[in-house]
Amino acid sequence: MSAAARAVVDTAALRHNLLSVREAAPGSRVMAVIKANAYGHGLVEVARALADADAFAVARLDEAVALRDAGLAHRIVLLEGVLRSEELSRAAALRLEPVIHCPEQVSALEQASLDNPLRAWLKIDTGMHRLGFPPGEAVGVARRLMASGALAKPPVCMTHLACADEPEETVTRSQLAAFAGAVADLPGDRSAANSAAILAYPESHMDWVRPGIMLYGVSPFEGRCGADLGLRPVMSLSSPLIAVKDVPAGGRVGYGGTWTADRATRIGIAAIGYGDGYPRCLGSTDTPVLLGGRKAQLVGRVSMDMIAIDLTDAGDAAVGDEVTLWGADLPVEILASRAGTIGYELLCGVTQRVAVSYV
Ligand SMILES: Cc1ncc(COP(=O)(O)O)c(C=O)c1O
C-alpha cells in the first residue's frame, strides 16, 4: 500500500443511484450531470459506469471532447453552451448539444455556417438570474433559432431551479409556473429538475430530469444524508497512518499548537491534508474520522499533507492502518456541515494527487 490518500469509487453504487433516479422519475429521460470531473469522481470512468443514462451533461466543451475521445457516443449537453464560431463548428462536428442562454449565442448561431445542423437547448431564466432568457422572450428566441437554419430540431426548453433543496416551496412553485407559461406555445421537450426537484417535486420531472449530486449518493437537502434517501455513497476517501506517537500531557499538536493533550495521548498521523482536498477548516471543529470501523477524533490543524488523530478510542491502531475520511460509514454530508459547506464542494475539491480506483 502506498502511503498516500486514495479515493475508491463504487461503480455499482453509481448504477444503483441511477436506478433510484429512474424510480423517482419513471416517465422522464435521464441526463446524468457529470461536469467538474463528474463531481470529482472521474469524468470518463463515471460516464462508462452510467452508460445507461439517456444523455450526459457537462459544463464546458473540453469535458465533452474528452468524452467523445474516450468513445462515448451518448447525447452530450453543454450546460454553458459555446460562443465562438470555431467552438460551434466543433460542437456540431462532435454532435454536442449546446445550451443557448444569452443573445450573443443566438447571434453566433445566426452567423454560423455549420456543416451539420445542431441540436440545442434553450434556457429560460425563471428566477435564478444566472443564465437564460426572460420568460417573455422564450418564443421570440426560439423562432429566431429555428429561422437560423443552424438547428436540426426545435430547441429543448429548460430552466434551472434555485431553491428546490429548501423546505420553503414558494420560489420553486413560482419558477415552475413561470416556465410553464413561457414554453406553453413552443414545441419539443422540457426539462427543469435537478436532484432536489427529482426527489421533492414530481411535477417538475417533465421530459428530462438532470440529476447530479444524487448520482454520487449524496443528499441535495441540508441535514439529510444520501442513505436517508435510499442512495448509496459512491466515493470513499482514505489514507494510511504513517506515524504513531505518544504525546505527554500538556504536549501540543500540529502547526500553532492549537490542540493540547490533557493527558498522555497516543496520536496517529495520517497522510492526507488540504493538498489532497481535505479542508483545513476541519481542524478547528469537532471532526470525526474512522479507524478500523471505529470513530476517532481529528486533533490540531490540518496541514498540507497530514492530519493528527487522537487514537485513545481506536484500539491498537498501528502505522499502515487505513483511516477513512469519508465514505459509506462516515457520510461526506457530515464533514461538509462541519466545514460549513456542501458535499458538492468536498467531492469536487479532491485534488489530482489522490489516486482514484474503481470497484
Ligand atoms: C443546469 C443544471 N442542471 C442540473 C444540475 C445538477 O444539479 P444537482 O447536482 O443539484 O442535481 C446542475 C448542477 O449544478 C446544473 O447546473
Side-chain angles (χ1 to χ4, degrees), residues 124 135 138-139 142-143 157 176-190:
I124 318 295
V139 171
R143 282 206 189 111
C157 293
L176 291 172
F179 186 56
V183 302
D185 295 330
L186 289 173
D189 286 351
R190 283 125 176 62

Side-chain angles (χ1 to χ4, degrees), residues 33 35 39 79 123 130 158 160 193-196 210-214 220 344:
V33 180
K35 61 188 176 154
Y39 291 41
L79 291 175
K123 189 155 190 181
R130 197 173 63 174
M158 65 182 283
H160 195 39
N194 57 3
S195 296
R210 307 192 307 267
I213 198 72
M214 71 181 285
Y344 299 71

Side-chain angles (χ1 to χ4, degrees), residues 80 308 342:
E80 293 178 5
I342 50 176

Side-chain angles (χ1 to χ4, degrees), residues 235-273:
M235 185 196 286
S236 156
L237 181 69
S238 65
S239 197
L241 288 179
I242 55 167
V244 171
K245 55 181 56 239
D246 292 310
V247 174
R252 304 194 314 164
V253 171
Y255 282 118
T258 56
W259 185 84
T260 307
D262 57 8
R263 57 195 154 118
T265 307
R266 180 154 284 197
I267 295 290
I269 305 297
I272 190 159

Side-chain angles (χ1 to χ4, degrees), residues 100-309:
I100 313 289
H101 57 75
C102 67
E104 292 79 1
Q105 290 175 327
V106 178
S107 308
L109 258 183
E110 285 173 333
Q111 284 153 29
S113 53
L114 302 175
D115 294 336
N116 321 307
L118 280 165
R119 277 180 157 178
W121 295 60
L122 172 58
K123 189 155 190 181
I124 318 295
D125 177 6
T126 53
M128 185 156 178
H129 297 140
R130 197 173 63 174
L131 298 181
F133 294 92
E137 293 179 18
V139 171
V141 174
R143 282 206 189 111
R144 269 178 73 186
L145 290 175
M146 287 315 295
S148 74
L151 295 202
K153 293 181 174 207
V156 180
C157 293
M158 65 182 283
T159 193
H160 195 39
L161 302 170
C163 304
D165 56 323
E166 293 174 9
E168 164 60 52
E169 295 184 356
T170 322
V171 175
T172 303
R173 302 229 169 274
S174 117
Q175 281 199 262
L176 291 172
F179 186 56
V183 302
D185 295 330
L186 289 173
D189 286 351
R190 283 125 176 62
S191 174
N194 57 3
S195 296
I198 290 167
L199 295 166
Y201 294 91
E203 68 275 32
S204 72
H205 293 169
M206 305 177 201
D207 302 293
W208 286 89
V209 291
R210 307 192 307 267
I213 198 72
M214 71 181 285
L215 291 173
Y216 309 100
V218 175
S219 164
F221 306 113
E222 199 183 332
R224 300 179 76 180
C225 291
D228 306 335
L229 304 165
L231 304 172
R232 280 171 51 188
V234 171
M235 185 196 286
S236 156
L237 181 69
S238 65
S239 197
L241 288 179
I242 55 167
V244 171
K245 55 181 56 239
D246 292 310
V247 174
R252 304 194 314 164
V253 171
Y255 282 118
T258 56
W259 185 84
T260 307
D262 57 8
R263 57 195 154 118
T265 307
R266 180 154 284 197
I267 295 290
I269 305 297
I272 190 159
Y274 59 80
D276 302 288
Y278 189 75
R280 185 171 179 275
C281 62
L282 287 175
S284 21
T285 169
D286 185 19
T287 300
V289 302
L290 285 183
L291 242 168
R294 291 201 229 178
K295 271 208 177 127
Q297 202 68 27
L298 182 78
V299 294
R301 284 192 185 149
V302 172
S303 321
M304 189 182 294
D305 316 304
M306 285 173 265
I307 56 171
I309 298 156

Side-chain angles (χ1 to χ4, degrees), residues 8-12 15 357-359:
V8 177
V9 169
D10 180 347
T11 53
R15 284 189 289 273
S357 55
Y358 296 84
V359 293

